[in-house]
Amino acid sequence: MTRYDPSLFVDRMLVLLNDHFVYDERFHRGLNLIRGENSSGKSTIADFLFYGIGGDFTAWKPEAAACDSVLVQVQINGAQVTLRREISTASQHPMLAFWGGMDDALVAGPAHWDLYPYKTSANKQSFSSLLFRTMGIPEIQGELRSRLTMHQLLRLMYVDQVTSYYAIFRAERFDDHRIRDAIGAVLCGYYGDRLYDLQFAIRDVEVELRETRTRIRLLDEVMSEAEQSDSMISLQAQLDDTRRKLSDAQTLVDEELASRWTKAKIEKEHKSQLRAARKAVETTSTDLRKVRAEVDHLQFEIEDSSVFVDSLKTTLKSLAEAESVREALGELPIHFCPVCYSELQEQSNEEICPLCKAAKPASQERTQIARMRQELALQLRESIALQGERQKRFERVEKRIPELQSDLGSARNRYDRLQEGVDLVLEVGIGEAYRQVGYLQGLADDLERQLRLVELLDELRAKGKDLAAKLGTMTEELNGEQAAAEKRREKAARQIATGATELLRQDLDREESFSAANNLQFDFGDGVVVLDGRANFSASSMVVLKNCFHLALLAASAKEPDFRYPRFLLIDNVEDKGMEEGRSHNFQTMMHNLSESIKVEHQIIATTSKIAPQFETSNVTVGDHYTHEHKSLDMPEGTYYSDLLL
């Protein structure tokens, strides 16, 4: 059977109390019915499933709260992973992940399990990030990024009994219209990676452009108030003229000094200043060499890391391409032994290697690829973060070079003049000639600062122009992406609405509006469904309407590969709100017929206290028929829940 990704299917669930298996059942593709009397533990199993694959759940029943942990073996995009979570009444509990099946996981040591927190931190990604990346679901960008978790997606895949019958999302405190809207966009495939990347990037460019324009305005105001020219040519001419006058004034100072000081005193002072000037040149030169060496080193590291980042991206892309090729071509047969060239015997069991005869589970290769992809993605994320830090340091250090070069030039000029016998310290008391030198030196320094300001202003204006052009290009692309996303949204809405109305017409003749169902509308943000202008029916009919919507969402995902809904649905309210037995039986038949008609791998897990007779002994059921005496959790004899909960 064809598989559309992202896909998530439960293969097996195990609940532990100490070392006792209080629940251990396997699940299959298609329809899975968990049956039993009311209050026999069916909802507890549904809650364990929801929690085990990433839901945030704390309202445990006493028997469930007494258990230690739940393990769920899942197939994610064909890769086999075992997830483990300790039972806790605290929210946002972490998750352990083992790359492989449950049997191997149960005997694996702690070193083979990876611990993931509920929320992503600076040093550790969350288990939602792990599951999203493995399924190929993009993490939403912007302010909702940290809030769109696996728990949030499961709110649209788990139909529980506690939530009101008119709400299509599982109930939650502090719910947010924007989160519900984002969940629908992600799962129905019209959340575009590029669209949200563009929105995020445009916001950054707008901030940078706004800051650049602010700096330009401030510099313009400062230069205007100071009546400073913004012409490079004019300022450079003034600076050259000032330096020429400074040289002439210095000559006068030297002549004055020669006539006022004794030869011995001049030589003594000259030697002292010469040593100080030489030291200043050496120190500044050393600092400049160090900075240049650091710049070269950082540049090498940046270039080397860029190559490494590119190689990681290429490897990730190659893994995806290799998996696609394997999916398309299948496994290449080997007919002859590569050592002795003897013809190999045909192997009837595809899960046995034709060469070494070792067990070769079908999911092993996908699991290894998924694990490699996960590790490479982590490396890529860390490398990109480090590369950003290197780039910032490179820019910061590189800015010191012009400053040090200017300082070194000044130090060398001073040293050169001292070598020629110019005694700078003896300028004190020389009078008008000395004051003229000081004035001209200050004027030259001020002109140099003005030149640097003009250079900075020119750079900022060029940067602003580039940013404005970049913003225009990105905005144009964003408009195109938004238009395409709106088309995908409308198409997804039509498919879900059509599927839901077809299912409603199959309901027992209890609601006249259902048999003539025509126009179904829904809004993920509002979280409600409206049928032919009506949003309110009898309680049991609202349950049917809600469940038909969720079945239609699953069916639409099986028709459209672009959907990111992982082809998994968990229903725990088939008989909710006083559902009559015949209507429940009919709905179970509807689920079964729909599942049989779907030609893509999928999974529906539903609980019922009124199992339809034709399904009681069929292969769609999971586990026993639970009763008050034989509940879903096989608790050890003598277990006192109140003691275990202390």
Side-chain angles (χ1 to χ4, degrees), residues 276-568:
R278 185 190 302 114
K279 185 175 181 180
V281 170
E282 291 172 352
T283 301
T284 308
S285 180
T286 300
D287 291 343
L288 182 59
R289 282 198 304 274
K290 288 180 179 178
V291 169
R292 281 174 170 165
E294 187 173 3
V295 167
D296 292 341
H297 177 70
L298 286 170
Q299 189 171 21
F300 173 78
E301 282 195 340
I302 289 170
E303 292 174 355
D304 186 59
S305 297
S306 295
V307 174
F308 181 63
V309 168
D310 290 341
S311 70
L312 287 176
K313 291 179 179 178
T314 302
T315 304
L316 279 169
K317 183 180 179 182
S318 299
L319 276 175
E321 291 173 349
E323 193 171 13
S324 299
V325 170
R326 184 173 181 81
E327 289 286 341
L329 300 180
E331 186 174 346
L332 297 176
I334 299 176
H335 300 295
F336 295 92
C337 175
V339 177
C340 65
Y341 306 107
S342 299
E343 186 172 1
L344 298 173
Q345 297 293 327
E346 287 194 13
Q347 192 72 40
S348 59
N349 189 345
E350 294 182 356
E351 294 193 358
I352 300 297
C353 176
L355 288 177
C356 67
K357 311 303 181 187
K360 183 171 65 69
S363 65
Q364 186 179 38
E365 292 166 355
R366 292 193 185 96
T367 300
Q368 292 298 332
I369 290 176
R371 185 173 188 172
M372 289 171 62
R373 187 182 296 155
Q374 170 70 11
E375 292 173 351
L376 287 169
L378 283 175
Q379 280 187 293
L380 180 60
R381 177 187 175 192
E382 293 172 357
S383 297
I384 291 174
L386 290 173
Q387 187 74 322
E389 293 175 4
R390 289 192 197 95
Q391 188 64 41
K392 289 179 182 177
R393 176 157 180 78
F394 175 80
E395 293 172 358
R396 188 168 61 251
V397 173
E398 191 180 35
K399 287 179 181 178
R400 292 195 60 203
I401 292 179
E403 298 173 4
L404 287 171
Q405 285 176 330
S406 178
D407 292 345
L408 181 60
S410 298
R412 281 176 173 167
N413 286 337
R414 179 180 173 84
Y415 181 69
D416 290 342
R417 290 203 307 273
L418 285 168
Q419 281 187 315
E420 294 170 1
V422 179
D423 190 352
L424 301 181
V425 171
L426 302 180
E427 292 171 355
V428 179
I430 293 177
E432 185 60 33
Y434 177 78
R435 286 193 294 273
Q436 182 69 7
V437 168
Y439 166 75
L440 291 171
Q441 184 63 58
L443 181 59
D445 292 342
D446 183 59
L447 287 170
E448 287 180 350
R449 284 193 293 270
Q450 290 185 43
L451 271 173
R452 286 198 291 270
L453 282 177
V454 172
E455 289 174 353
L456 176 60
L457 186 59
D458 288 345
E459 290 175 2
L460 288 173
R461 284 171 175 164
K463 181 180 180 181
K465 185 178 180 180
D466 292 342
L467 287 172
K470 183 178 181 181
L471 183 61
T473 301
M474 294 170 69
T475 302
E476 185 178 348
E477 185 181 354
L478 175 64
N479 293 335
E481 289 288 340
Q482 288 175 328
E486 180 58 23
K487 288 182 180 179
R488 292 195 297 269
R489 187 198 67 77
E490 292 175 353
K491 181 180 179 182
R494 284 195 304 270
Q495 290 174 323
I496 296 169
T498 300
T501 52
E502 290 176 355
L503 287 168
L504 287 170
R505 296 189 197 110
Q506 300 172 33
D507 183 34
L508 288 187
D509 191 14
R510 299 293 184 272
E511 188 69 56
E512 184 178 349
S513 299
F514 287 5
S515 59
N518 180 44
N519 181 23
L520 183 139
Q521 295 178 319
F522 63 92
D523 186 283
F524 286 119
D526 294 337
V528 296
V529 178
V530 177
L531 178 65
D532 294 324
R534 286 183 61 184
N536 192 22
F537 300 91
S538 67
S540 58
S541 293
M542 288 298 294
V543 171
V544 173
L545 175 62
K546 176 178 177 176
N547 289 345
C548 285
F549 168 81
H550 282 278
L551 285 173
L553 177 55
L554 171 72
S557 74
K559 292 178 181 178
E560 286 296 327
D562 291 339
F563 270 62
R564 294 193 183 97
Y565 185 95
R567 287 83 191 176
F568 171 84

Side-chain angles (χ1 to χ4, degrees), residues 60-128:
W60 300 106
K61 297 176 178 66
E63 295 89 342
C67 297
D68 296 326
S69 58
V70 56
L71 289 84
V72 186
Q73 177 184 309
V74 294
Q75 289 272 353
I76 302 178
N77 290 14
Q80 195 174 69
V81 188
T82 300
L83 310 175
R84 177 172 185 154
R85 296 185 80 185
E86 306 303 317
I87 306 302
S88 173
T89 55
S91 63
Q92 301 187 359
H93 210 62
M95 173 186 287
L96 288 159
F98 173 83
W99 293 91
M102 179 123 21
D103 290 334
D104 292 333
L106 289 171
V107 297
H112 297 282
W113 289 84
D114 298 319
L115 177 65
Y116 296 92
Y118 187 89
K119 289 185 176 181
T120 296
S121 65
N123 301 319
K124 190 72 173 177
Q125 68 165 336
S126 66
F127 65 73
S128 293

Side-chain angles (χ1 to χ4, degrees), residues 265-278:
K265 191 172 183 179
I266 290 174
E267 288 178 353
K268 182 179 179 181
E269 292 295 334
H270 177 262
K271 289 178 181 179
S272 175
Q273 291 192 26
L274 190 62
R275 285 194 299 271
R278 185 190 302 114

Side-chain angles (χ1 to χ4, degrees), residues 100-154:
M102 179 123 21
D103 290 334
D104 292 333
L106 289 171
V107 297
H112 297 282
W113 289 84
D114 298 319
L115 177 65
Y116 296 92
Y118 187 89
K119 289 185 176 181
T120 296
S121 65
N123 301 319
K124 190 72 173 177
Q125 68 165 336
S126 66
F127 65 73
S128 293
S129 297
L130 164 73
L131 297 174
F132 286 175
R133 186 175 290 113
T134 307
M135 284 190 283
I137 293 178
E139 290 189 76
I140 200 165
Q141 300 296 330
E143 59 181 322
L144 296 180
R145 180 176 184 177
S146 62
R147 300 178 63 187
L148 194 70
T149 60
M150 188 65 187
H151 164 78
Q152 292 293 344
L153 296 193
L154 287 171

Side-chain angles (χ1 to χ4, degrees), residues 575-592:
E575 287 91 27
D576 207 5
K577 304 300 182 285
M579 181 78 65
E580 63 179 283
E581 186 173 70
R583 203 173 190 184
S584 173
H585 290 174
N586 181 70
F587 186 77
Q588 293 170 47
T589 302
M590 288 165 55
M591 286 195 296
H592 180 263

